[in-house]
Amino acid sequence: MKNITLLDKEFRPLIDAKTIDQVISKMATDMNKDLDGEAPLFLSILNGSFMFTSDLIKQITISGTQISFIKVASYSGTSSTGEVKELIGLKEDIQGRTIVILEDIIDSGRSMTHLLEYLRNKNPRKIVVATLFYKPKAAVFKVPIDYVGIPLENDFIVGRGLDYEGLGRNLPDLYILNS
Ligand code: IMP
Ligand code: MG
């Protein structure tokens, strides 16, 4: 794997695609066991989670599984703007249902806190949080996380759905900002 350049920044390889695939398979296996019989509604948080969602959901075998998409954006450039810009919602009635939130990464926890508050008001039976990547040292808002794929240091990463200024989402491997 080689370094890549996106706009003005250089990134180096951090985690290869195969390793990430294996982690996602493990998450799917765990969910299939834990959520059996719950007819879960998976909520994929756009844009970053589209690839994680696709990879994971193909391996979910739970009867009654559904998928919907929601958008919460709080990020611009390489640092959190500290402001939730958008929330494009949810058509489904989630009352009494098991909701599984699929997030690409939890950084400060701001987006997830906002989303959880929004969803709890709609009285689901249970909300399960799954994130592919997690930066524990960046946590400002404490969020309950049920499934963590790969914990990371407090660095800026791209690939596997994650972007820098809209670039790099298509990369199957994960890259870290060279600084
Ligand atoms: P939070 O609200 O600070 O937890 O930020 C969560 C959102 O910020 C994620 O869903 C990503 O879209 C974005 N984000 C956080 N860290 C990174 C990163 O290292 N690279 C790219 N996007 C990130
Ligand atoms: Mg995101």
Side-chain angles (χ1 to χ4, degrees), residues 97-110:
R97 296 206 57 181
T98 293
I99 303 302
V100 186
I101 300 176
L102 299 181
E103 198 32 312
D104 52 356
I105 187 163
I106 296 177
D107 186 332
S108 72
R110 182 184 294 271

Side-chain angles (χ1 to χ4, degrees), residues 45-49 72-75 103-105 111 161-163 169:
I45 314 306
L46 296 173
N47 292 328
S49 296
V72 188
S74 74
Y75 227 76
E103 198 32 312
D104 52 356
I105 187 163
S111 311
L162 290 150
D163 73 302
R169 290 196 198 276

Side-chain angles (χ1 to χ4, degrees), residues 140-151:
V140 179
F141 300 83
K142 236 186 141 28
V143 276
I145 310 177
D146 301 277
Y147 300 92
V148 174
I150 303 177

Side-chain angles (χ1 to χ4, degrees), residues 2 24 28 36 47 49 74 76 83 87 107 111 123 130 133 140:
K2 291 187 307 212
I24 295 173
D36 185 35
N47 292 328
S49 296
S74 74
S76 157
E83 187 193 328
L87 203 154
D107 186 332
S111 311
N123 301 316
F133 302 111
V140 179

Side-chain angles (χ1 to χ4, degrees), residues 5-179:
T5 301
L6 300 172
L7 288 181
D8 55 333
K9 302 219 185 305
E10 198 181 46
F11 295 82
R12 64 178 192 279
L14 183 66
I15 305 172
D16 66 278
K18 206 178 141 210
T19 302
I20 301 169
D21 289 341
Q22 286 165 352
V23 165
I24 295 173
S25 293
K26 170 77 166 67
M27 293 173 88
T29 305
D30 290 346
M31 287 179 193
N32 284 336
K33 186 156 46 80
D34 300 344
L35 304 173
D36 185 35
E38 298 199 30
L41 173 62
F42 288 80
L43 273 191
S44 173
I45 314 306
L46 296 173
N47 292 328
S49 296
F50 75 96
M51 199 179 282
F52 170 45
T53 301
S54 171
D55 293 335
L56 179 96
I57 211 77
K58 284 177 279 191
Q59 304 177 67
I60 295 296
T61 55
I62 307 163
S63 161
T65 289
Q66 293 182 322
I67 310 151
S68 191
F69 298 85
I70 192 168
K71 185 160 183 165
V72 188
S74 74
Y75 227 76
S76 157
T78 55
S79 73
S80 186
T81 59
E83 187 193 328
V84 175
K85 287 185 293 197
E86 241 186 319
L87 203 154
I88 299 170
L90 199 58
K91 307 273 188 296
E92 287 79 4
D93 179 10
I94 66 167
Q95 185 164 350
R97 296 206 57 181
T98 293
I99 303 302
V100 186
I101 300 176
L102 299 181
E103 198 32 312
D104 52 356
I105 187 163
I106 296 177
D107 186 332
S108 72
R110 182 184 294 271
S111 311
M112 188 56 72
T113 299
H114 181 83
L115 179 63
L116 285 171
E117 191 187 299
Y118 173 86
L119 293 174
R120 279 183 190 131
N121 281 332
K122 297 181 178 297
N123 301 316
R125 187 171 84 79
K126 164 168 150 194
I127 302 177
V128 174
V129 176
T131 188
L132 180 54
F133 302 111
Y134 175 46
K135 299 183 193 172
K137 290 178 187 156
V140 179
F141 300 83
K142 236 186 141 28
V143 276
I145 310 177
D146 301 277
Y147 300 92
V148 174
I150 303 177
L152 298 171
E153 288 304 309
N154 213 347
D155 300 301
F156 188 78
I157 56 166
V158 293
R160 208 69 190 205
L162 290 150
D163 73 302
Y164 168 58
E165 300 291 356
L167 299 171
R169 290 196 198 276
N170 54 308
L171 301 164
D173 306 297
L174 198 71
Y175 292 81
I176 176 172
L177 180 65
N178 253 351
S179 49

